[in-house]
Amino acid sequence: RYTTSTESQELAKEFQRKIVILRDAAYYYLRNKSIEFLTDPANLDLLKRDLLTVMNQYLASGQLGDILIEEYLIK
């Protein structure tokens, strides 16, 4: 689970329209990372930055400014 932030209503609406695409892009990114990378707390800032970059590639109305990773489960 994650939360993003933006002050743009247009970007928020686009995010909602593309939620499945953005979810799949984030999943693809995470799936291609090693378990060691994902479980290392030292990589949290890099992980957040990379996820924002991945998601922002699919958004035309603006850029997400921040992401809060509430929880993630590694199986």
Side-chain angles (χ1 to χ4, degrees), residues 5-42:
S5 65
T6 182
E7 296 197 13
S8 167
Q9 291 298 324
E10 186 178 335
L11 181 58
K13 289 177 185 176
E14 180 183 9
F15 185 89
Q16 286 301 315
R17 284 192 313 271
K18 294 182 176 179
I19 193 83
V20 173
I21 294 167
L22 297 169
R23 180 203 62 203
D24 289 349
Y27 176 75
Y28 182 80
Y29 167 80
L30 293 169
R31 185 166 183 184
N32 287 296
K33 292 295 180 188
S34 70
I35 191 80
E36 292 80 20
F37 177 84
L38 294 173
T39 57
D40 186 350

Side-chain angles (χ1 to χ4, degrees), residues 3-8 11 15 48-49 51-53 55-56 59 62-68:
T3 302
T4 60
S5 65
T6 182
E7 296 197 13
S8 167
L11 181 58
F15 185 89
K48 289 171 64 173
R49 223 175 17 250
L51 282 172
L52 276 173
T53 299
M55 289 183 187
N56 283 332
L59 298 170
Q63 303 284 289
L64 297 170
D66 196 15
I67 186 169
L68 170 64

